[in-house]
């Protein structure tokens, strides 16, 4: 339906029409998912990706012109890094209570597009509502995990959870010790939260940030499960949190800047 040549020509035309410099770029592959009306452009490297995105302007115009619901650009380097992260994730969960994640990991290796099989996770779970609260709940539900949701009081007024006392920084940097103690008292063996790592074991309990473990970026998470901004958080911690995601390739710098600006403005 879409070809590399067609997309390349459109990008050049949009850049020229809107006064962008005539920068060379290379597209290696184009993949279209008709089920979700999603188009994936695979650029040769990150420099090519930047030219195609054009500070979000070019990619926005391209999506309008092609009339697709979602358009995302990756570089081959992005996908290679993801594959390596997934190989590490596979090693971490194999032989543990989290082996039910293996079909999801295999599916992610073939991304894009994303085609998750039906998975039944039979591990009692505590979901701590942190930055990606809505996505954490969505992930637990998608994997049919028996879970309880908790979070800092007043942090997500539109979501259903049990409120806990705690500081605003915990919404961005969860307190591992507190959550392990809480989960242990409730018989949970898995804790889902926005931890600064993919998976770690502590006192026989799995602490997991599924999006770091599977190397799924903020843009994709938002489209998969939606996004609910916290109303309680620490401003300085927000900058550190966003900077870390951007450094690891899990958030575009433009998305990070927009989030900081909008949340600080509020």
């Amino acid at each position: 339906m879409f070809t590399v040549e067609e997309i390349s020509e459109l990008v050049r035309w949009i850049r020229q029409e809107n006064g962008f410099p005539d920068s060379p770029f290379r597209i290696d592959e184009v993949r279209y998912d008709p089920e979700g009306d999603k188009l994936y452009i695979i650029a040769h490297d990150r420099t090519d990706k930047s030219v195609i995105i054009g500070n979000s302007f070019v990619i926005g115009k391209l999506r309008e012109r092609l009339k697709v619901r979602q358009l995302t650009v990756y570089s081959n380097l992005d996908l290679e890094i993801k594959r390596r992260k997934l190989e590490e994730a596979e090693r971490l969960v194999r032989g543990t209570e989290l082996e039910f994640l293996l079909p999801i990991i295999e599916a992610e290796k073939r991304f894009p597009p994303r085609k998750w099989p039906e998975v039944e996770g039979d591990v009692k779970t505590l979901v701590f509502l942190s930055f990606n609260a809505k996505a954490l709940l969505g992930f637990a539900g998608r994997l049919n995990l028996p879970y309880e949701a908790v979070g800092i009081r007043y942090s997500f007024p539109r979501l259903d959870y049990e409120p806990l006392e705690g500081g605003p920084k915990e919404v961005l940097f969860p307190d591992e010790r507190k959550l392990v103690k809480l989960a242990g008292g409730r018989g949970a063996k898995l804790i889902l939260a926005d931890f600064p790592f993919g998976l770690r074991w502590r006192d026989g309990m799995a602490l997991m940030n599924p999006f770091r473990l599977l190397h799924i970026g903020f843009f994709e998470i938002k489209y998969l499960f939606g996004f609910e901004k916290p109303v309680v958080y620490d401003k300085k911690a927000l900058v550190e949190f966003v900077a870390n995601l951007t450094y690891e390739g899990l958030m575009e710098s433009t998305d990070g800047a927009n989030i900081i600006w909008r949340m600080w403005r509020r």
Side-chain angles (χ1 to χ4, degrees):
M1 183 175 180
F2 299 100
T3 66
V4 169
E5 293 74 20
E6 176 190 3
I7 301 299
S8 298
E9 187 57 38
L10 268 174
V11 170
R12 290 190 193 96
W13 181 84
I14 292 168
R15 290 184 66 88
Q16 183 179 34
E17 188 75 7
N18 292 279
F20 284 81
D22 185 20
S23 303
F25 65 93
R26 175 176 161 187
I27 296 175
D28 287 345
E29 189 182 353
V30 173
R31 302 180 193 177
Y32 178 66
D33 176 19
E35 185 179 323
D37 191 23
K38 301 173 184 176
L39 182 66
Y40 302 92
I41 297 173
I42 314 299
H44 185 65
D45 62 29
R46 284 179 172 171
T47 303
D48 302 304
K49 174 182 172 180
S50 296
V51 173
I52 297 164
I53 291 174
N55 207 26
S56 296
F57 181 88
V58 175
I59 200 70
K61 289 291 184 183
L62 186 61
R63 187 180 67 82
E64 290 175 14
R65 184 68 183 267
L66 296 173
K67 294 180 171 59
V68 292
R69 188 176 70 86
Q70 183 180 329
L71 198 163
T72 313
V73 185
Y74 297 94
S75 71
N76 273 313
L77 179 60
D78 293 331
L79 298 179
E80 178 59 28
I81 290 171
K82 182 179 177 71
R83 280 189 289 269
R84 292 183 185 184
K85 295 283 188 181
L86 290 168
E87 287 170 4
E88 175 62 20
E90 191 173 30
R91 287 192 291 271
L92 287 171
V93 305
R94 193 174 292 282
T96 74
E97 293 176 284
L98 303 182
E99 273 200 334
F100 65 86
L101 289 171
L102 289 175
I104 301 294
I105 292 171
E106 283 301 317
E108 282 295 302
K109 287 180 180 178
R110 296 186 290 273
F111 175 84
R114 177 169 285 110
K115 302 290 183 183
W116 284 5
E118 287 298 319
V119 170
E120 191 76 30
D122 189 23
V123 178
K124 190 170 182 182
T125 303
L126 183 73
V127 179
F128 177 71
L129 302 194
S130 34
F131 181 77
N132 285 299
K134 196 168 185 180
L136 290 166
L137 292 172
F139 181 83
R142 179 68 176 78
L143 270 63
N144 299 296
L145 289 165
Y147 72 87
E148 295 178 50
V150 299
I152 301 302
R153 190 180 299 276
Y154 309 124
S155 55
F156 295 95
R158 295 201 289 186
L159 298 180
D160 186 23
Y161 65 98
E162 179 186 332
L164 304 175
E165 298 302 326
K169 188 174 181 179
E170 291 178 49
V171 175
L172 298 156
F173 294 96
D175 185 326
E176 294 179 39
R177 191 184 301 275
K178 178 196 288 187
L179 292 176
V180 166
K181 184 178 180 180
L182 182 65
R186 301 184 182 205
K189 292 295 183 181
L190 172 63
I191 303 171
L192 298 183
D194 279 291
F195 295 117
F197 50 81
L199 176 63
R200 180 181 293 169
W201 297 86
R202 186 166 177 170
D203 297 338
M205 205 169 298
L207 283 69
M208 183 168 72
N209 181 334
F211 313 119
R212 283 184 185 271
L213 183 71
L214 300 171
H215 202 71
I216 303 177
F218 173 76
F219 176 83
E220 301 163 57
I221 295 169
K222 185 170 66 172
Y223 273 90
L224 273 173
F225 301 113
F227 178 64
E228 184 78 21
K229 290 193 289 290
V231 299
V232 173
Y233 58 90
D234 181 277
K235 285 187 174 183
K236 290 182 179 178
L238 175 65
V239 175
E240 183 182 351
F241 180 87
V242 168
N244 289 343
L245 286 182
T246 304
Y247 176 76
E248 293 181 35
L250 294 172
M251 182 180 284
E252 293 293 336
S253 55
T254 48
D255 285 334
N258 283 333
I259 284 171
I260 292 170
W261 181 74
R262 288 173 182 170
M263 290 177 66
W264 274 39
R265 188 179 167 206
R266 187 197 294 183

